[in-house]
Amino acid sequence: MSLMNVLARAEAVAAGRAVPAATVRHRRIAERPLVLVPLTTAGEAGAPLGAMVGTDRAEPTLLVVPQPLDRELRFAFFAGLAAAVLPVVDAYADEVETEPATKNREEVEVCADAPQIVVPNSAALDYVRLLGRSTRYLRTVEDPDAPHPVPVPVPLLGRWLTHYAERARTPGSSLLVAMTELLTRHWATGQSAMEDQHLGALLGWIDPPDGLDGGSAAARAQTGRGPDGLLLSPPAGPATDPVFDNRVLAPALERYDAARSAGATGPMRVAEADVRRLVASQLRPTWDDVWHGVDLLRALPEGAHVEERWKRDRWSFTGHRDRLRAGEPPQPRRDDAVTAAQKLAGRETAQARLYAQEALDDPLVMAARRLAGEAFTGTVLSVEMTWSEGRRPMPRPLLTLTTPDLPQADPATRAYRALPGAKSAQTAEVVSLTPAPGVPAQRGAGGAPAEGPSAAGGGPAAADVPPAAGPAPAAEPQSGPLWQVVVRLTGGMGTGKTPREGSVPEPGDRVTFTLFAHDQRGGPALPEAEATPWTHGGPPQARETAVPEAPDTATAEDFL
Amino acid sequence: MTQGLDPAAPADPFDPGAEAAAATSAILASTLRGTARGVVVDSPPGAGKSTLVVRAARELAASGEQLMIVAQTNAQVDDLADRLATADPELPVGRLHGTDSPPDPVLDRHAQVAKSTSVADLRDRAVVIATAAKWAYVKDVEPWRHAIVDEAYQMRSDALLQVAGLFERALFVGDPGQLDPFSVVGAEQWAGLSWDPSASAVVTLLAHNPGLPQHRLPVSWRLPASAAPLVSRAFYPYTPFRSGTGHGDRRLAFGVPGDGSGPDRVLDEAAESGWGLLELPARHTPRTDPEAVRAVAAVVRRLLDRGGVTYSERGPQPAPLTADRIAVGTAHRDQAAAVRTALAAAGVPAGPGGVAVDTANRLQGREFDVTVVLHPLSGRPDATAFHLETGRLCVLTSRHRHACIVVCRAGVPELLDEHPSSEPVRLGVTVKFPDGWEANHAVLAHLAEHRVPWRP
Amino acid sequence: MSTTHHTLRERLAALRGPGTAPRPLDARALAALAANPGCRRRALMDAAGVDKGAVAEALGAPARFGQSRFAFSRGHAFEARVKADGCAELLRLLGAEGARAQVPDLAAAGPEGRTARTRLALAEAPRGGWTLLDHPLLAVEVAGSTVFLEPDAVAVAPDGSWTVVEIKSFPILDGAADAMKVGAAARQAAVYVLALDAVEAGRARSAILLVCPKDFSNLPTAESVDVRKQLAVTRRQLARLTRIEEIAAALPEAVTFDPAAPRPELTAAVDAVPAAYAPECLSSCELAFHCRARAREADAVDALGRALRSDLGDLTTLASVRAASCSTAPTADPAVAALRRAAALRAEALAAATGGPA
Ligand code: SF4
């Protein structure tokens, strides 16, 4: 764990509440997110117990399976979930924007917005994936031979959930997000990362109720039980509290079963209402917690690059919409070689992009990069104009900076600087890195802060990272030695012999260079699946002759 | 194919030259005359992998075949091109490179090495060589009849997927004991799939083509007789190898006698036995433990000051142990940087021409006379998968021709014992064996016999 | 020391409390030793057969463990299904579909009797055919006392090799399963392999058979799991349990973990043994809430996670971390220097965010 995070957690313990881990919001929070809180039955894969779902916090849709081991009831749950989710999805499918043609492709349409699904925690996110897997191959009423047909929208729900869960594996995506992950990205608590997985405890640290500090609020959420022995803040799912299972749920299910097998409709309805009430009691606190988290996140300003990443999410949504419309079969159980490689490459690119964009959007993230030696912020001491050799000499100015950061850079390492108003970053190359001369004199005398005012008044090129506010007491006081870095600018200065106005910083300017690139180019194209080489098992079955994935085997007794 | 895989200990008297020659001719026979589409060669540290690649390339070219060579880094490509052109100055070699990664100027001395960013310019060359990353951009060309894939264990499966369409048959060469390739994002969802894109290329290749002939080079010419048994046992338990030299063949000696200090005593121990452990008192430290870093620098300084000389099978005359024959290996880059700073303060040149100070990742494939290793677990309050990785320790302890000196805080065996083992296990994934935890124990147990406590 | 005239067994019985029956160690407990092998408190209490759950309860910090009866009944039903019809399904999964197996009766009086029966059945299993031992009982010596272990099944193959069979009720979905659960199963199975090695070394295979429901059905499917790694770890951890004697010897004679003891006395006894709390304890040890409270009182960095320690050197308390971050005296400690730098950068960034352009 990074030292920055350790320090933040130590501060949170001292403060008795969470402290910021980000100064902007790094993920999209939709205007009308669809919140989904699922619960599952212990020990049974894919036997949901119930869910709360909806876009209106005051009026969640409650879905309950009064006997989770009953196939018909479970399929009714899936139908109910489809009825709650698919209309929301559909509402976004037809509102489109037109993307102008580029060199490589024609004009295309992209959905103007996409539905966002928010679940309480990562386990719930995995459960969404499982729900997608368990429903996308189900046979529907349109299939005359299906032994246990489901309503038509159920497999469609499965395919959307599968798509969302798969997209959630792309770093920085916001289509399907887990609230605990969102909150831990933006706040550091005084407990461990493992304890942060408990949504109630996490919120206790971030926004403790009046009269409690973070630690006590978290403790109450984790272990506090009411007089009935049930947890005050039930686990946010999908697993339930074993005490709840054994003490109240099991007897209620038994009553339901008894009434049903006796064919007593009245008692059965009563028993069912009981189960509904019980399941709702476990869901509601988490439902409220998720919305509480949404409020907290909304209060943060959105990072500058979030919109760009959200647009990629919209592309992803549009792409899946198109695949459905084209009548493509459901996603296979496991990826073929080319798809797997494609996904991995895409995610690695997304990871690198996110890594850069978060730092550019958020001084606190940039601070962590600087601490790790992956970026440096310094004051320009001098600028020496030089030019490249060759027929058309290009400007190659040498910048000498002093910085308290120690970049992990060998000579010739590439560096990048965000240029205001420019599309891409200015490229540069580290020439040398030496201890700044006269450091002892500067150290303690506040060498770096002394340069602060000049930076504050610096030219427009200095606006990379806002300088520390004047009196900020902790800004670089005696925090260590200063380094002198010489960098050679190699790009971003236009095409002429003289650099474009404002593209070369001036002495006194404060500038930030990163050792990571700001944009990511995708890698080379992978072969078509039909051209999978012999080293990887050769081409999978040709698409035309391939049988779509068979549904899961249905066994007579279904569950145990 | 059993000749390359027979794990039975070679009967003494062991003739390393004959063993290695037999293995090489079997490999060449498989490659030149075999019918399998692929041949896999496991090469332990210093077993002559580059020599094999050069030889196979020349013989394939001599038989009139056009050949492509895939290596993993630009430095490896330049090094191979240089060796190839040196061995056969007449051979038309093409060095394919990226626009922003020009080849090493060293290649300029070979008239027959053509350089280009476009494969079309090089299609007439008998041998074309490039990194896997560069090959991945080559599309729509007639496939090569033959390829050699070097450092195949460090290549990721998805990288092989990108280039495998360019050749019909290939010789895959690599060291299974070194660092595995990795991915910066999770790839668990493909764990257990034969084509897991984050796995090693060789794992995928063999999963799909289990019948391919597999050979191994049985002799390490680099590792001395004092090191081969330990490295073989700890890191290659199922594919043992031997040292090409005997116990008397290599010797490290100093012109200046030791002064009784810790560094001098550990140097004497290492000169005597091939191994030395300089043990600092137990303490939890951050990665750039100043005392350990200073100890490393002191050992290097004394290595040079004491006028080290090496005797080896290469000739009757002793060779002076110069700075460029020494490496310092660390786990992290900031540790390497700290050691460089400490060496500079001690007046020892580091970097090109001087002592090589680098991380295990960057020392892979390189060879020195003496290595000084800052143990990856030294001073750590906890062990992590990164620090326990088998390949990391294997790289660090198998770069030397004469001696390896490990600098470490006391307490690492206890740290290993107290390491919680709650690793996830994924179905269908072949267990990489030996495991880092065990290999670390094995190495430490051996080093304990060569321990010298630090006395500044 | 005064303990010299005790046997270890007597000493451990005294620690447990007079008249308290030892809570027998099982494979799960032995495997769990590897979850936090640095903790002396746990090692001693487990070796002494102390009921840690009862102690936690008595300390006022009850564990949160518990199994849902739904999961419990599912597990039983699944195992019954695997073993129905003379273990027909199990044979199929072992690659011997349609074969018949001997399923000897292992019933006997007392654990010693059952262990002897198991040994006999293993010895008598005829070559050339399959023999399946349903819930055999195995014994291993751990820190001076005998621990009885009961695997779900052991299969004797026609070639005479023994395979440990672990039956779990989590699913194998499209060929993959929850890796944490498979890991736990592998560690547990490794203990059985060790116990079989004690019967006859080399007969047990180091690849075990993990049987789970397939996808969303109740049909069993199986995967072979290589447990060599887990075997090596377990072997070493069991060997290390000999240090129990040292740990016990370091305690005052009167110490007892009897849950019936008065709370202050019990608290003092528990705290007399050094612990190594980390958040992982919350999911693996009954005493976790007590130890967590102690670790927090001590302001230990470890309470926030083991990984946090890695760059801190010998700073072990949160207060020392904070103090280092705002210290100003010259320092040679890179951890202190880095913390200062981190604090300065953090303050600068937060100031920039609040005072910067809107
Ligand atoms: S909870 Fe306490 S006794 Fe149990 S393992 Fe953790 S530190 Fe040891």
Side-chain angles (χ1 to χ4, degrees), chain C residues 186-203:
Chain C
R187 286 187 290 279
Q188 195 180 332
V191 178
Y192 300 137
V193 175
L194 278 183
L196 283 171
D197 269 346
V199 176
E200 188 184 329
R203 286 284 289 278

Side-chain angles (χ1 to χ4, degrees), chain C residues 36 39 41-42 275-277 281 285 287-288 291:
Chain C
N36 191 1
C39 180
R41 186 175 293 170
R42 179 180 186 144
Y277 172 80
C281 292
C285 182
L287 284 172
C291 296

Side-chain angles (χ1 to χ4, degrees), chain B residues 307-360:
Chain B
V309 289
T310 56
Y311 297 83
S312 83
E313 71 287 359
R314 287 182 180 168
Q317 291 306 313
L321 180 64
T322 48
D324 62 330
R325 297 302 306 152
I326 301 172
V328 175
T330 63
H332 294 281
R333 288 173 62 187
D334 54 359
Q335 294 174 323
V339 170
R340 274 185 224 119
T341 309
L343 284 175
V348 176
V355 177
V357 183
D358 241 318
T359 57

Side-chain angles (χ1 to χ4, degrees), chain B residues 65-103:
Chain B
E65 303 277 13
Q66 283 210 326
L67 170 71
M68 61 179 276
I69 300 183
V70 184
Q72 308 311 314
T73 66
N74 278 304
Q76 286 165 0
V77 169
D78 287 331
D79 179 59
L80 260 180
D82 185 42
R83 283 172 191 255
L84 204 50
T86 307
D88 188 349
E90 302 300 307
L91 186 68
V93 173
R95 162 67 164 107
L96 178 64
H97 63 90
T99 343
D100 36 7
S101 46

Side-chain angles (χ1 to χ4, degrees), chain A residues 166 335 347-348 408 525, chain B residues 139 156-157 189-190 333:
Chain A
E166 203 54 16
D335 293 325
R347 288 179 201 158
E348 286 185 319
Q408 296 271 335
Chain B
K139 304 277 173 208
R156 242 171 45 178
S157 169
Q189 79 184 104
W190 302 295
R333 288 173 62 187

Side-chain angles (χ1 to χ4, degrees), chain C residues 32 35-43 45 52 270 273-278 280-282 284-292 306:
Chain C
N36 191 1
C39 180
R40 293 160 170 252
R41 186 175 293 170
R42 179 180 186 144
M45 291 173 89
K52 297 202 298 299
V270 170
V273 199
Y277 172 80
E280 289 77 16
C281 292
L282 289 169
S284 64
C285 182
E286 293 85 346
L287 284 172
F289 284 123
H290 174 77
C291 296
R292 182 176 74 174
R306 280 200 179 99

Side-chain angles (χ1 to χ4, degrees), chain A residues 307-486:
Chain A
E307 178 65 41
E308 193 250 30
R309 291 199 296 276
W310 177 248
K311 185 158 187 199
R312 293 175 193 276
D313 282 329
R314 291 199 277 131
W315 278 111
S316 166
F317 176 76
T318 312
H320 190 62
R321 181 202 68 165
D322 294 344
R323 280 189 291 277
L324 289 174
R325 288 185 175 171
E328 288 190 21
Q331 299 94 331
R333 286 181 166 79
R334 304 204 81 173
D335 293 325
D336 62 49
V338 172
T339 309
Q342 231 149 20
K343 283 184 181 172
L344 181 60
R347 288 179 201 158
E348 286 185 319
T349 309
Q351 174 65 54
R353 183 184 299 128
L354 180 68
Y355 188 84
Q357 291 182 343
E358 288 196 345
L360 296 171
D361 291 354
D362 184 346
L364 198 47
V365 180
M366 187 61 91
R369 304 280 187 271
R370 289 168 62 191
L371 184 67
E374 287 154 353
F376 54 99
T377 297
T379 307
V380 179
L381 278 187
S382 64
V383 180
E384 183 194 333
M385 274 315 291
T386 65
W387 280 267
S388 64
E389 289 171 18
R391 254 175 301 140
R392 270 185 358 113
M394 300 290 288
R396 292 288 180 264
L398 280 175
L399 265 53
T400 306
L401 347 158
T402 49
T403 169
D405 303 331
L406 173 58
Q408 296 271 335
D410 301 327
T413 303
R414 277 179 201 224
Y416 305 84
R417 181 171 84 105
L419 269 185
K423 260 224 206 89
S424 49
Q426 176 166 50
T427 54
E429 153 182 310
V430 175
V431 177
S432 68
L433 170 66
T434 46
V439 171
Q442 286 188 347
R443 189 197 279 175
E451 287 144 19
S454 70
D464 289 300
V465 161
E476 299 172 17
Q478 310 92 22
S479 57
L482 287 176
W483 301 89
Q484 185 162 314
V485 188
V486 178

Side-chain angles (χ1 to χ4, degrees), chain A residues 244-290:
Chain A
F244 166 77
D245 282 5
N246 298 346
R247 207 175 286 177
V248 294
L249 183 62
L253 292 183
E254 274 158 23
R255 283 197 299 277
Y256 175 82
D257 285 345
R260 199 156 83 136
S261 55
T265 342
M268 187 172 116
R269 241 182 250 130
V270 173
E272 178 171 353
D274 263 358
V275 178
R276 279 183 74 83
R277 186 181 46 75
L278 286 173
V279 172
S281 75
Q282 297 294 294
L283 284 165
R284 187 70 200 213
T286 304
W287 171 266
D288 293 335
D289 280 351
V290 174

